[in-house]
Amino acid sequence: SQPTATRISTVIDSVLRLFGQRLVAAGIQVEREERAPSATVLSAPGELRQVIANLVGNAIDAMRAGGRLRIRVSQNRQRIRLTIADTGMGIPRDMLSSIFEPFVTTKGETGTGLGLWVTTEILKRNRWRIGVRSCSNPGRSGTIFSIVIPALPEQGRGNEVRTSNQRIPGNLVR
């Protein structure tokens, strides 16, 4: 449970492998843009994975008729930004302010309302921040979560950019 240096791209890889079959079955195309492919954060094992898995799982649930999941990692000297965006149904405006509270769900009887609450507890413990934007208007719907994580002191600005649109079995794009 001790924090260790954790490479974000490695965690994203493992989460996408975990959800690979669900993504393919749901007809979801994954796009990755890593403006900082070597971005590394200080995190207890599994916590970053849990955060990303919660957000990716929610995105899949929101895109029942297929769509696009975009994952972006960028970095400057002080912080790393992880953005997870989907083209799903969006979060109704009247629920947006309460989605991080326990037992609040947009999934009806199929959701527990604990995923985003657990996510925020992990974020608070690590002093990470999260922001969300969402639109539920037909034809323009989707949700964007942005997580800001302090960069490790020895990391500078990464100039290397890795974008990935290589097809993986089914319609998963990497």
Side-chain angles (χ1 to χ4, degrees):
S1 64
Q2 292 298 316
T4 60
T6 305
R7 193 168 184 171
I8 293 178
S9 64
T10 302
V11 176
I12 292 170
D13 288 341
S14 72
V15 170
L16 291 178
R17 276 193 306 276
L18 175 69
F19 286 108
Q21 291 302 315
R22 279 185 65 196
L23 289 161
V24 170
I28 297 170
Q29 181 181 23
V30 176
E31 297 174 2
R32 287 175 67 172
E33 180 180 349
E34 294 185 39
R35 296 180 179 182
S38 60
T40 304
V41 300
L42 193 60
S43 174
E47 287 190 335
L48 182 60
R49 180 173 290 104
Q50 182 68 52
V51 167
I52 296 171
N54 285 345
L55 297 176
V56 169
N58 285 348
I60 293 169
D61 291 342
M63 295 186 283
R64 298 196 189 280
R68 186 174 70 232
L69 173 67
R70 292 177 43 214
I71 301 173
R72 178 184 295 156
V73 179
S74 60
Q75 177 177 352
N76 66 23
R77 292 186 198 280
Q78 291 94 15
R79 66 175 187 233
I80 297 167
R81 181 177 304 272
L82 169 63
T83 304
I84 299 175
D86 68 61
T87 57
M89 63 183 148
I91 301 166
R93 185 177 301 213
D94 61 332
M95 291 190 73
L96 204 52
S97 64
S98 62
I99 61 169
F100 296 110
E101 296 173 12
F103 308 112
V104 172
T105 182
T106 62
K107 300 177 189 178
E109 293 181 15
T110 63
T112 63
L114 294 175
L116 288 177
W117 176 73
V118 167
T119 295
T120 57
E121 291 301 308
I122 292 170
L123 296 172
K124 285 177 194 174
R125 186 170 40 256
N126 287 287
R127 295 191 175 137
W128 302 345
R129 294 180 320 198
I130 190 166
V132 60
R133 291 183 303 167
S134 190
C135 179
S136 56
N137 296 338
R140 297 181 47 217
S141 63
T143 302
I144 302 169
F145 284 95
S146 183
I147 299 169
V148 177
I149 305 169
L152 292 178
E154 65 272 11
Q155 292 186 351
R157 175 179 293 234
N159 292 327
E160 180 184 357
V161 175
R162 184 173 75 186
T163 58
S164 192
N165 279 335
Q166 176 185 356
R167 289 230 173 250
I168 294 179
N171 62 350
L172 182 64
V173 175
R174 174 158 192 256

